[in-house]
Amino acid sequence: MNFDLADQPEFVQQAADYALHGWEIAREWLMSPAAWSQFGLLVAAFVIAWLSTRKLRPWLERVLTPEAGRTSALATIRRFLLIFVPLLLPLLAFAFTGVGEGLTRAIFGSGAVIAFGKRFFLLLAARVLVREIIKDGFLKVLGRLILLPVMALYTLGLLDAATDRLNELTVSLGNIEFTAMAVIRGLIAGSILFWLGRWSNDQTGAYIHKQEEMRPATRQIAAKAAEFAIFGLAFMLLMNIVGIPLTSLAVMGGAIGVGLGFGLQKIASNYISGIILLLEGQATVGDYVELDNGQTGTIVKTTARAMILETYDGRWIVVPNEDFITTRIINYSDQGSANRYEADFSVSYKTDINLVPAIVEAAVAQHPGVLDLPYPPDCELRGFGDSGVDFAVEFWVNGIDDGPNKYTSDVLFLIWNALKDNGIEIPYPHRVVELHQASGPAAP
């Protein structure tokens, strides 16, 4: 078949050359007895692999499936291996084909068809891997867009030609030049490295936060240090894979430094403040704090730039780290420190007020959340009001009197019941109205 493609674009001519080359190979295979023998071996290898899979797969699934609820290392390994059972058919076909390849080359001196079959079975294995085994969304997209096209080119024998073509194309970025292959390799390697970095960071952070013997601030510091180390290592590996020497980034680093000094002062200040907060442990996750503007909330997350506070009505407040350094912040929690509260009440003027402190202190001490240390409940006389004698009881608790805790409310209930049980009257306002009749001449 001869076509005049001289007037067509270069890529059309190259595509036509590849198509003609493929046609010549296919025609040669169809006319060759050795090729037909190799086709027969491929079919036989696939059938044997299929029959073997029908026998082996149920047995493997039964052996690799651990008992429900088992969490040992062996059970984890068995669950991991169970994921790859769907690869059994294409891998067995590949193995049986490899056994037949040596025989074919010994008899016919050729093995192009059977080599193509082996590559095709690897393509099937890659397809099963992407469709059935990989569950992570990012890796699945990466497999569909990169792994499967690469395996298809490898199966057709075009991978080397495509690689050579990409190595010839160059991309310039200032004084640095990349080949198109280096860019693609960097994108692939960067995607995989930073996915691995994210996964490693999640696993490392989860392990660190389980170490309850460490202070919360220390756990935060360790988690952040691990995060910087993991992604720093991933960045250096990526630079090495792409072929960019780290010394060539010196100019870029200097530019970034100037930018931080002039245009990113606040961001840099927040990052440095975050490091100081982690090192000093002044505020960390779980602390209940009051900001300088009166807003209150529990710290639920710390980032390199800001603290995330959650109020008891469900709102999130993003507070820059710098505010925790430069403004007045009241930390009510400090990871479990005791807090003092007081409850006000009054009794009637008819009461023997000398009995009130002992009654109220004994009642408040019954509350399971009220502490004996640093001080037990203390009832104090505060004044003589319009309607009764004013008292207040001070008590210490571990926690905040808000949200799920109702310490003051519970204490007032205890005071009410104790005073009622002892016949002590809790007054309410009384007003005396005097009516004076004006004197004047009597009516006729």
Side-chain angles (χ1 to χ4, degrees):
M1 293 184 294
N2 293 320
F3 300 96
D4 186 8
L5 301 176
D7 297 333
Q8 299 298 322
E10 183 180 357
F11 76 92
V12 174
Q13 298 180 28
Q14 290 181 350
D17 290 339
Y18 286 132
L20 289 174
H21 182 64
W23 167 251
E24 294 294 334
I25 293 175
R27 186 173 63 177
E28 180 181 350
W29 285 358
L30 291 173
M31 302 298 293
S32 171
W36 280 103
S37 301
Q38 293 177 56
F39 277 122
L41 283 174
L42 288 176
V43 173
F46 182 80
V47 170
I48 295 172
W50 180 72
L51 293 174
S52 301
T53 302
R54 290 189 59 186
K55 298 292 184 180
L56 289 175
R57 182 165 181 169
W59 176 79
L60 282 175
E61 290 176 345
R62 186 171 61 253
V63 169
L64 295 176
T65 302
E67 295 78 3
R70 294 289 296 274
T71 58
S72 63
L74 180 59
T76 303
I77 294 173
R78 290 167 66 184
R79 289 190 183 95
F80 178 75
L81 294 177
L82 184 63
I83 298 174
F84 297 95
V85 169
L87 289 173
L88 186 62
L89 176 59
L91 292 182
L92 281 178
F94 176 83
F96 292 148
T97 304
V99 172
E101 183 180 13
L103 180 63
T104 304
R105 291 188 182 276
I107 297 176
F108 298 101
S110 173
V113 176
I114 206 166
F116 171 80
K118 288 176 63 178
R119 297 195 298 269
F120 179 75
F121 290 140
L122 286 180
L123 175 62
L124 291 181
R127 183 173 178 272
V128 172
L129 180 69
V130 172
R131 294 190 59 182
E132 301 184 30
I133 296 176
I134 296 177
K135 301 301 181 183
D136 184 84
F138 175 76
L139 290 183
K140 191 176 285 289
V141 171
L142 203 64
R144 288 175 178 171
L145 298 181
I146 297 176
L147 179 61
L148 292 182
V150 169
M151 290 303 299
L153 290 173
Y154 173 71
T155 302
L156 297 174
L158 301 177
L159 184 60
D160 291 338
T163 302
D164 293 339
R165 181 60 178 167
L166 290 173
N167 281 324
E168 294 174 358
L169 298 175
T170 59
V171 179
S172 298
L173 182 62
N175 295 328
I176 305 174
E177 285 191 354
F178 308 94
T179 64
M181 188 63 193
V183 174
I184 295 174
R185 187 168 60 243
L187 291 174
I188 297 172
S191 301
I192 295 175
L193 281 174
F194 281 95
W195 179 88
L196 286 173
R198 187 191 66 181
W199 180 83
S200 301
N201 182 57
D202 292 341
Q203 299 299 317
T204 305
Y207 174 77
I208 291 174
H209 287 296
K210 288 179 182 177
Q211 309 306 310
E212 297 182 356
E213 65 275 8
M214 299 171 61
R215 293 182 65 250
T218 306
R219 293 200 296 264
Q220 290 288 328
I221 294 172
K224 290 297 180 184
E227 181 179 358
F228 288 136
I230 289 171
F231 284 103
L233 178 61
F235 177 77
M236 288 189 290
L237 286 175
L238 179 60
M239 294 298 100
N240 187 44
I241 291 172
V242 175
I244 302 176
L246 295 178
T247 54
S248 64
L249 300 177
V251 176
M252 186 182 299
I256 293 174
V258 173
L260 287 174
F262 289 98
L264 303 176
Q265 293 182 17
K266 283 291 184 182
I267 295 177
S269 176
N270 285 321
Y271 273 89
I272 295 172
S273 299
I275 295 172
I276 295 173
L277 288 171
L278 287 175
L279 291 174
E280 295 185 352
Q282 295 177 352
T284 187
V285 173
D287 286 355
Y288 184 85
V289 298
E290 179 181 346
L291 305 178
D292 199 30
N293 59 8
Q295 292 180 308
T296 60
T298 302
I299 300 176
V300 295
K301 185 179 181 181
T302 62
T303 66
R305 189 190 64 85
M307 295 276 193
I308 311 298
L309 273 61
E310 183 177 12
T311 64
Y312 280 120
D313 54 4
R315 293 182 175 88
W316 278 27
I317 305 173
V318 180
V319 184
N321 289 329
E322 184 183 11
D323 290 355
F324 279 82
I325 301 295
T326 59
T327 62
R328 183 180 66 92
I329 304 293
I330 301 175
N331 191 336
Y332 288 98
S333 296
D334 194 19
Q335 289 300 309
S337 63
N339 297 301
R340 191 193 72 174
Y341 296 96
E342 62 179 44
D344 300 323
F345 66 98
S346 299
V347 298
S348 171
Y349 276 106
K350 302 176 183 179
T351 306
D352 183 358
I353 61 174
N354 297 294
L355 303 176
V356 172
I359 294 172
V360 171
E361 289 170 2
V364 174
Q366 296 175 5
H367 191 287
V370 174
L371 305 175
D372 291 331
L373 295 175
Y375 300 103
D378 181 25
C379 183
E380 298 178 352
L381 176 64
R382 291 295 174 86
F384 302 100
D386 294 337
S387 302
V389 183
D390 298 330
F391 284 88
V393 60
E394 299 175 348
F395 57 95
W396 290 78
V397 294
N398 261 333
I400 304 301
D401 187 24
D402 204 345
N405 301 322
K406 301 178 177 63
Y407 295 123
T408 302
S409 175
D410 295 341
V411 166
L412 288 174
F413 270 107
L414 291 171
I415 294 172
W416 171 276
N417 293 327
L419 296 179
K420 285 292 185 181
D421 292 342
N422 287 273
I424 298 175
E425 179 183 349
I426 298 177
Y428 53 88
H430 290 78
R431 295 292 182 267
V432 177
V433 180
E434 295 183 2
L435 299 177
H436 297 277
Q437 185 176 3
S439 61

